[in-house]
Amino acid sequence: MKITLKSAAAALVLSGAVACAPGNAPGDVLKLSDGWTLREDGTSARYPATVPGTVAGALFDCGELPSDLYENDTYAGIDRARFDNPWWYTTNIALGRQKGQHYFLKFEGIDYRADIFFNRKQLAAAEEAYGVFNHFEYDVTDLVRGNNRLEVKVYRAQPGDLNIGYVDWNPRPLGESVGLWRDVTVSVTGDLKMDDVFVKPAVDLETLESAELQVSCTLTNLADKAVEGTLRGSLEGAEFSVPVSLAAGERREVVLTSAEVPALHVDNPRLWWCQPLGEPALYQLSLDCYAGEALSDCEAVTFGIRDVRSWVDEDGARHFSLNGVPLVIRGAGWTDDLLLRDTPASIETQVRYVKDMNLNCIRFENIWGKDRTVYEMCDKYGILAMVGWSCQWEWKNYCGLPETDPYGCINTPEDMALAASYFEYQVKWLRNHPSVFVWLVGSDTTPNPELERMYLDIFGKLDYRPYVNSAARRFSTVSGPSGMKMNGPYDFEGPDYWYLDRRNGGAFGFNTETGIGLNMPAPESLQRMMPADSLWPLSKTWNFHCTNAGGMNRTDRLVRNLTGLYGAPTDFMDFVKKGQAADYDGTRAMFEAFRANEPASTGIIQWMLNSAWPSVYWQLYDWYLVPTAGYYGTKKANEPLQAVFNYADNSVYAVNATGKAAARQLSAVAYDVAGNPVFEEIREADFLPGKPEKVFDLSELDGEAFFLFLKIEGGADNAYCIPAKDNVYSRRAQWYVTPIESFSDMGFVTRLPKVDVAVRTEKAVVDGNTVFTVTLENRSAQVAYQNVLSLKSETDGRLVTPAFWSDNYFSLEPHASKTVTCTVDGGIDGVRVDFRCWNGE
């Protein structure tokens, strides 16, 4: 093989794939997004539609569904019968066939079946074009003319179909998400077609100073004669050329290594790191395929150079490392919008939220995303992506197939073949993303052993990442222990639970989905979600916006818990603020416990990150993109260097997620409920990665309620309200909650005297963004508890999103002040800073 200096073609990035140039030339990928019409079968009315999307989403966008679809109880009253009928997607495509070019029509996601017609010629029938995660590609070369008509008749999923799903998180989607839910494209090639370009990195872990890349692709000769050609690549300015030769009709994988192509050896690579370990460096490889001297096909892929490893320890807990650095995975579970109406802008905002919360991972239980945007954003912002299948295929009431314990519902040869096909397509679809660090092929169960052997055969040929058989504590006869656990809880527990529990969801092992249930939205979001007369007293509308899971589809348990902790809520705002306080403390403690208990704790995934529709359950920010109190508790808990209070031994620990040791001065001040200092100390603290260090012992305050304020010199702070006793939990845990039998008394915060907090706000434009600087001054001799800041429109009173507060829901010591910032993208006017304090005047 020879190395040449011939230039690669110019590249145009399109959703992770790259077309060589816009237009109708070899290598172009034409994304068919706009210009679609939608029609219910047997009717004449036509509606505009965008692909990817769903029928229901298109009907909502064009006003055919109520504008308040998600608010009140409107969603429950929608007539779903019309979605039982097939729907026609139609569009026109200007191409113009040219000699020597080949045209391929590709569907990356059909939900769930389709009859496909191109210029009136049927390419596929619903009996063969089915399966929501399958890809379908058709050679339409002989059918292409100047103006082309594409018609797709889609049919909704039926019980027993392996569809995408939202399980018990919210109501079932209208029409079961029927539509063209992922990209439809037309690609243009010459006689040599190139597919599945993949870059596999191998890092020298001894030094991190070099890496070897393996580049592979699949070439197909579409001609009726042998073709001589070349693969020409460009990487970081280094260019190479490799001759290829294919017989007529031949299809072959080509694998290039640094032994043959020196440009694939990288010295001093810029490694891809998740936050806060380092920068998420990205590379781009352009690969052009020539037939003779004519460009025939091309693609460019974005990838990262990094090493991911996993192992299960003697206690059965799974560990991960990145570039040789052990990780505690700290993340939350993603869901797409209920009608699949997410946009690139909304997705980027959400991934920025994840980074802002100092999390390092998102779990995608369902391989979500209408396209690869969310994974591209994870690549960009340094967020690990845990991908895999959802539990809706493991329970009869969601899937519609019989369950076979312990393997779920995929057990027939036909269903296993379909699931294996799904897996192959999805691995190929995502494997260039450096953020993707593990594949979970089971959620609540492990796959049928026959199916798992199929998965492993596919995986061994296509990818190199860690493979895990289940998100729950399971053992597979094929692949061994999962190393994970999924023992709950999913509903409210007190902050001490995460330190005290040693059987279920407490801070040991890798907990793949858990949380405190109701993550109370901001009052402004609740006022959008429900009519005023439903907000208080609590109405059935609240229950409708809980989950669909039994036991968590109503608010009565939350009312019991808040009453037991703080006293009975007296009105809407009192209910909200008590719910937010419980959310902040409980969610923060969950993440902190998994940090304070390293290395026994190895991973924690909050259930969930976001909501598919306006909800009061399972979210760190709500459907309106407004952060909850739990958002700020999560952000506080996951500061790279932090001091945390351990409820189990009443001590303060120094924790470190940076991968590098640090020494800092740490101060602790405690006040009794009257505002008198009862503990004050400053010490030098060692912040050691993976080794929490006890710094302060506060056991002398046992039996007393107190406020605790911690501060790292030049760094993070943290504040707690500690009750005089722990909660007492039932020894009979249910799958979703361990009930509290006797409550710790948080009534002392309810009885706090009023305080005077002064607020000063300044506004400036910094690097093109608007920054509000807000200083709060507590002019009283009491603790100012739960100070909440928000940015509101002066026009309609709605909260401005996204708005990135440096801190929120924080408490102030007596006679203390604190300055925080709020950053908003671009310039903004007509807004005001709103403030409330739990015990403010």
Side-chain angles (χ1 to χ4, degrees):
M1 295 185 179
K2 60 182 179 180
I3 306 299
T4 70
L5 296 178
K6 294 185 178 180
S7 62
L12 171 70
V13 178
L14 291 176
S15 298
V18 177
C20 295
N24 188 13
D28 282 0
V29 178
L30 311 176
K31 188 173 178 181
L32 308 181
S33 300
D34 301 321
W36 291 84
T37 61
L38 189 62
R39 175 176 63 86
E40 184 179 356
D41 191 42
T43 68
S44 59
R46 285 172 167 77
Y47 308 98
T50 300
V51 171
T54 65
V55 171
L59 295 179
F60 180 83
D61 287 338
C62 70
E64 183 67 9
L65 293 176
S67 60
D68 66 343
L69 177 68
Y70 282 167
E71 276 77 41
N72 310 323
D73 300 328
T74 305
Y75 192 88
I78 298 299
D79 180 9
R80 296 178 178 233
R82 66 188 308 191
F83 299 102
D84 294 334
N85 296 325
W87 287 78
W88 286 91
Y89 280 87
T90 304
T91 192
N92 294 309
I93 313 165
L95 288 173
R97 181 177 176 182
Q98 298 184 32
K99 185 178 180 180
Q101 293 186 353
H102 302 263
Y103 299 82
F104 290 86
L105 174 66
K106 185 173 184 179
F107 296 83
E108 290 191 347
I110 296 172
D111 196 341
Y112 183 81
R113 298 176 181 270
D115 298 322
I116 303 170
F117 301 85
F118 191 86
N119 289 335
R120 308 297 183 184
K121 171 73 173 180
Q122 185 164 7
L123 302 178
E127 292 75 22
E128 54 191 357
Y130 70 92
V132 69
F133 286 111
N134 276 338
H135 292 186
F136 304 93
E137 187 173 66
Y138 305 96
D139 187 341
V140 295
T141 304
D142 293 339
L143 301 175
V144 166
R145 52 182 187 246
N147 292 311
N148 304 272
R149 186 173 180 82
L150 175 60
E151 299 167 289
V152 186
K153 185 180 183 181
V154 293
Y155 304 78
R156 58 154 286 183
Q158 301 297 322
D161 289 334
L162 302 183
N163 195 23
I164 61 173
Y166 299 80
V167 200
D168 56 3
W169 314 339
N170 37 249
R172 294 189 81 117
L174 299 176
E176 301 300 314
S177 302
V178 61
L180 299 177
W181 83 291
R182 280 186 175 161
D183 286 336
V184 179
T185 60
V186 172
S187 59
V188 186
T189 78
D191 285 342
L192 289 184
K193 184 174 186 287
M194 183 173 64
D195 295 295
D196 302 328
V197 177
F198 174 45
V199 182
K200 178 182 177 181
V203 178
D204 180 354
L205 289 183
E206 291 293 325
T207 65
L208 302 183
E209 294 178 357
S210 67
E212 309 295 329
L213 306 180
Q214 176 182 290
V215 175
S216 60
C217 65
T218 300
L219 297 181
T220 305
N221 182 1
L222 304 172
D224 57 4
K225 61 181 180 180
V227 173
E228 301 286 334
T230 55
L231 285 176
R232 303 178 186 179
S234 176
L235 174 67
E236 294 283 293
E239 298 176 347
F240 59 88
S241 176
V242 177
V244 293
S245 178
L246 277 77
E250 182 182 0
R251 179 180 175 87
R252 173 159 43 96
E253 184 182 38
V254 176
V255 179
L256 306 177
T257 68
S258 59
E260 303 146 321
V261 180
L264 299 182
H265 171 85
V266 182
D267 286 321
N268 300 311
R270 303 187 312 277
L271 297 180
W272 188 94
W273 294 95
C274 68
Q275 68 154 355
L277 297 180
E279 293 300 314
L282 296 172
Y283 288 77
Q284 188 176 83
L285 170 76
S286 296
L287 195 62
D288 307 331
C289 180
Y290 283 77
E293 292 301 314
L295 179 65
S296 187
D297 206 351
C298 68
E299 187 174 349
V301 294
T302 300
F303 68 96
I305 298 177
R306 54 99 180 93
D307 179 276
V308 179
R309 307 214 174 174
S310 181
W311 64 96
V312 177
D313 67 22
E314 60 185 11
D315 295 321
R318 182 167 293 278
H319 298 249
F320 289 92
S321 68
L322 178 64
N323 300 327
V325 178
L327 294 173
V328 172
I329 303 299
R330 297 168 285 112
W334 177 280
T335 179
D336 281 2
D337 172 78
L338 191 56
L339 300 186
L340 296 181
R341 295 178 63 252
D342 296 298
T343 66
S346 72
I347 289 170
E348 182 164 14
T349 291
Q350 293 180 75
V351 178
R352 289 173 65 195
Y353 276 168
V354 174
K355 182 176 181 179
D356 185 58
M357 284 185 281
N358 300 305
L359 297 176
N360 62 13
C361 177
I362 298 174
R363 181 184 173 197
F364 296 93
E365 184 190 348
N366 202 65
I367 311 185
W368 286 111
K370 293 186 296 184
D371 55 27
R372 285 184 286 250
T373 299
V374 67
Y375 305 100
E376 292 166 358
M377 292 300 102
C378 288
D379 295 343
K380 175 181 176 180
Y381 288 104
I383 304 299
L384 295 163
M386 174 183 288
V387 296
W389 300 135
S390 169
C391 67
Q392 87 250 9
W393 298 344
E394 298 169 343
W395 303 107
K396 179 180 178 180
N397 53 334
Y398 303 121
C399 182
L401 293 173
E403 294 173 29
T404 301
D405 186 58
Y407 307 128
C409 301
I410 306 177
N411 297 291
T412 67
E414 296 78 14
D415 290 334
M416 287 191 288
L418 179 60
S421 175
Y422 282 1
F423 187 63
E424 180 172 357
Y425 280 118
Q426 298 311 296
V427 170
K428 288 181 178 179
W429 194 63
L430 291 178
R431 62 183 175 168
N432 278 308
H433 291 279
S435 57
V436 175
F437 76 106
V438 66
W439 287 92
L440 279 172
V441 296
S443 180
D444 300 18
T445 69
T446 55
N448 183 297
E450 182 178 348
L451 173 59
E452 187 169 18
R453 283 188 284 269
M454 297 166 71
Y455 283 156
L456 286 169
D457 181 62
I458 292 167
F459 191 74
K461 296 174 182 176
L462 297 181
D463 207 4
Y464 62 95
R465 293 166 174 82
Y467 164 103
V468 177
N469 58 44
S470 179
R473 190 190 304 276
R474 300 288 183 180
F475 182 88
S476 163
T477 57
V478 177
S479 57
S482 68
M484 305 295 207
K485 71 174 184 178
M486 190 193 295
N487 300 343
Y490 297 87
D491 211 341
F492 182 77
E493 310 288 2
D496 50 9
Y497 167 87
W498 305 100
Y499 292 91
L500 301 174
D501 176 76
R502 290 291 181 267
R503 295 184 298 164
N504 296 302
F508 59 93
F510 195 126
N511 197 338
T512 59
E513 52 180 70
T514 192
I516 66 167
L518 195 146
N519 300 117
M520 183 72 75
E524 294 83 357
S525 291
L526 291 165
Q527 288 161 350
R528 293 179 67 178
M529 195 184 307
M530 294 176 248
D533 59 1
S534 294
L535 293 173
W536 192 263
L538 300 181
S539 67
K540 65 178 183 179
T541 308
W542 279 86
N543 296 338
F544 184 59
H545 288 272
C546 290
T547 78
N548 256 20
M552 291 172 284
N553 55 1
R554 54 189 184 272
T555 59
D556 54 349
R557 181 176 290 104
L558 178 72
V559 172
R560 174 184 178 271
N561 290 331
L562 295 185
T563 300
L565 289 170
Y566 301 101
T570 57
D571 57 28
F572 169 66
M573 281 304 301
D574 190 54
F575 179 65
V576 169
K577 79 173 188 178
K578 288 174 178 175
Q580 289 178 329
D583 181 11
Y584 184 96
D585 285 350
T587 304
R588 177 181 60 172
M590 177 184 70
F591 281 107
E592 289 183 342
F594 274 78
R595 298 188 70 184
N597 281 1
E598 291 184 63
S601 55
T602 64
I604 173 68
I605 302 294
Q606 147 79 15
W607 199 251
M608 296 174 70
L609 172 68
N610 57 353
S611 289
W613 79 314
S615 173
V616 297
Y617 250 85
W618 295 344
Q619 58 195 351
L620 294 178
Y621 51 88
D622 65 31
W623 186 77
Y624 306 105
L625 299 182
V626 176
T628 63
Y631 177 108
Y632 296 103
T634 299
K635 179 173 181 172
K636 184 68 68 177
N638 289 292
E639 289 278 0
L641 297 181
Q642 186 56 287
V644 303
F645 179 79
N646 186 323
Y647 285 80
D649 64 6
N650 296 304
S651 296
V652 174
Y653 285 76
V655 295
N656 183 346
T658 69
K660 298 178 181 179
R664 297 286 189 276
Q665 192 177 78
L666 178 60
S667 64
V669 181
Y671 298 88
D672 64 18
V673 296
N676 302 308
V678 291
F679 181 95
E680 188 168 2
E681 197 168 328
I682 299 175
R683 288 188 180 179
E684 292 293 326
D686 291 325
F687 291 80
L688 304 176
K691 297 180 180 179
E693 289 289 311
K694 182 188 287 190
V695 183
F696 301 115
D697 185 344
L698 280 74
S699 57
E700 65 186 72
L701 300 180
D702 283 0
E704 301 293 332
F706 61 94
F707 296 94
L708 175 64
F709 293 85
L710 306 173
K711 175 66 178 178
I712 302 172
E713 182 184 22
D717 58 12
N718 215 344
Y720 297 84
C721 53
I722 307 299
K725 63 176 183 177
D726 292 333
N727 295 293
V728 177
Y729 295 91
S730 171
R731 294 189 59 81
R732 294 187 177 182
Q734 301 174 49
W735 70 268
Y736 63 95
V737 70
T738 299
I740 300 175
E741 291 185 342
S742 176
F743 290 93
S744 61
D745 182 9
M746 296 291 294
F748 67 95
V749 296
T750 302
R751 297 185 293 272
L752 280 172
K754 295 295 184 180
V755 293
D756 175 21
V757 178
V759 182
R760 185 177 73 254
T761 300
E762 298 176 356
K763 176 183 173 183
V765 176
V766 180
D767 296 330
N769 298 320
T770 305
V771 178
F772 295 86
T773 301
V774 183
T775 300
L776 302 185
E777 181 186 356
N778 181 7
R779 296 175 174 174
S780 305
Q782 303 287 339
V783 168
Y785 182 61
Q786 284 262 308
N787 295 277
V788 182
L789 294 160
S790 57
L791 199 62
K792 286 188 176 182
S793 166
E794 293 179 339
T795 303
D796 57 16
R798 289 187 175 180
L799 299 179
V800 175
T801 60
F804 294 89
W805 288 94
S806 61
D807 200 0
N808 215 336
Y809 290 83
F810 54 85
S811 296
L812 286 174
E813 296 179 60
H815 301 296
S817 65
K818 180 170 181 170
T819 298
V820 297
T821 61
C822 178
T823 303
V824 180
D825 295 344
I828 187 170
D829 293 309
V831 298
R832 71 176 189 275
V833 172
D834 198 48
F835 163 75
R836 60 182 168 87
C837 174
W838 175 287
N839 56 321
E841 294 288 356

